[in-house]
Amino acid sequence: MEQNVQKITPVGVYIGLLGLVILAFGLADIFVWAGASPGLQAGILGIAGDDFFRWAWGGFIMVCAGLFMLSGCTRVTTLQQSAKVVLGGVLVWIIAGTDLFALLCAAIPADASSPSFFNSFSGFLATFAPPYTPAMLLLPFTLGILYLIHVRDTDDA
């Protein structure tokens, strides 16, 4: 008889910690939107919290992403568990992508006091200064999930 042993690997520990951080940021998004705090800014991290679809709904998506990663961090080399982790990463990528798209769209028009419609190049670049949303900050850390996809792709099982 083979026992179903929960095997924890260094990759699993990394994904577990990343899942906890994503879950915490998702809950912070929801709590700030709900009015628990007027907003949160710490260094380059900023949570504004006034838009329902970005902060409440986006926070819910981040909570789901964190839960998927936490549920998939044990035995991450199996297909089912790595699929959970990849799904959690994709959810973070979607929220970070929408945040980056919103930042890009906000950088194109000039200020209302400017005589031109389009922003100058220096003004365009200045718009990309911090603070950043939690999903944008977590995006580089979730790119390690691409390694899981590569490992699963080359696996013959």
Side-chain angles (χ1 to χ4, degrees):
M1 281 180 96
E2 184 178 321
Q3 292 180 347
N4 188 5
V5 178
Q6 298 292 330
K7 186 177 178 186
I8 302 290
T9 61
V11 173
V13 171
Y14 176 78
I15 290 170
L17 291 174
L18 185 61
L20 283 174
V21 171
I22 291 171
L23 179 67
F25 278 145
L27 290 173
D29 286 351
I30 294 170
F31 289 147
V32 168
W33 172 81
S37 172
L40 177 70
Q41 185 167 353
I44 61 172
L45 172 69
I47 301 175
D50 57 349
D51 182 24
F52 172 78
F53 285 105
R54 170 53 195 99
W55 297 107
W57 186 246
F60 175 72
I61 298 297
M62 293 285 284
V63 166
C64 290
L67 291 175
F68 277 126
M69 287 192 167
L70 285 174
S71 68
C73 69
T74 58
R75 299 185 61 196
V76 74
T77 56
T78 64
L79 179 63
Q80 292 82 9
Q81 299 299 81
S82 62
K84 290 178 189 177
V85 172
V86 169
L87 181 61
V90 167
L91 290 175
V92 172
W93 299 340
I94 289 170
I95 297 298
T98 58
D99 290 345
L100 285 169
F101 184 68
L103 193 62
L104 176 70
C105 290
I108 293 172
D111 291 333
S113 61
S114 176
S116 62
F117 177 75
F118 292 109
N119 207 352
S120 66
F121 185 69
S122 61
F124 179 80
L125 292 179
T127 308
F128 291 99
Y132 301 114
T133 63
M136 289 172 58
L137 291 178
L138 291 171
L139 182 65
F141 298 104
T142 60
L143 292 178
I145 294 170
L146 294 174
Y147 172 74
L148 281 177
I149 296 171
H150 176 69
V151 168
R152 292 295 324 157
D153 187 37
T154 59
D155 191 11
D156 293 330

